[in-house]
Amino acid sequence: MKIIAIFMREFSYLFFENKYGCVLLYAPILYAIFFGLMFSNQTLKNVPIVIYDQDQSAASRNLIQSFFDSERFDVIAIVSNEEDMINHLADDNASAALEIPIDFAKKIKAKKKSSVLLEINAVNIMYPNTVRGYE
């Protein structure tokens, strides 16, 4: 019982009476709250995105329309080739690029998994973290 009392006295001194102990205890908590709020998924809206639609089907147009309707993304261009898509990312015009493959609608009609390629420009770390949160 005496050991617990000594431990509690030392703990109290270290974290409440000592200014360095307060920094050790409270600073990490405050930083975690601050950065958690700063990098939350709700922080960024209108992330610039470029779309490359290889399929040109009703299903792919429906997917593209959902990006236009979203307040999270701002579709800046729909390009006709991969080179233009990469140029938009390289020139920092877009923070993300969505590539819809040729067999997108065919796989959906066959009730198979259909995937798209999402490329992210990681120059500004807030955009990739936000975009990855929407996957």
Side-chain angles (χ1 to χ4, degrees):
M1 194 68 168
K2 190 174 183 182
I3 294 174
I4 294 173
I6 293 171
F7 174 76
M8 292 303 289
R9 185 181 67 212
E10 293 298 322
F11 182 80
S12 173
Y13 173 75
L14 179 64
F15 289 112
F16 298 111
E17 296 174 18
N18 183 351
K19 63 182 175 183
Y20 299 114
C22 289
V23 171
L24 288 173
L25 179 66
Y26 299 118
I29 294 170
L30 291 174
Y31 281 129
I33 291 170
F34 175 72
F35 285 112
L37 292 173
M38 193 166 107
F39 290 109
S40 71
N41 285 341
Q42 304 301 324
T43 303
L44 290 177
K45 294 184 180 179
N46 299 324
V47 175
I49 188 169
V50 63
I51 299 175
Y52 172 36
D53 184 9
Q54 296 177 18
D55 195 35
Q56 300 292 323
S57 66
S60 66
R61 285 190 294 275
N62 194 13
L63 178 64
I64 292 170
Q65 187 60 45
S66 68
F67 278 91
F68 273 107
D69 295 340
S70 172
E71 65 180 19
R72 304 274 183 221
F73 296 99
D74 181 23
V75 179
I76 60 166
I78 298 176
V79 296
S80 58
N81 57 48
E82 189 173 1
E83 184 178 328
D84 288 343
M85 180 183 71
I86 292 170
N87 286 339
H88 276 284
L89 285 173
D91 295 340
D92 294 332
N93 295 335
S95 295
L98 180 73
E99 184 175 337
I100 303 171
I102 294 173
D103 58 353
F104 180 72
K106 184 196 289 186
K107 285 185 178 180
I108 290 175
K109 287 179 185 174
K111 297 184 180 178
K112 294 181 179 177
K113 275 186 167 180
S114 184
S115 59
V116 295
L117 175 66
L118 180 64
E119 295 184 45
I120 302 171
N121 184 347
V123 170
N124 181 347
I125 194 145
M126 288 185 70
Y127 285 117
N129 288 337
T130 301
V131 172
R132 287 198 62 218
Y134 301 131
E135 292 181 327

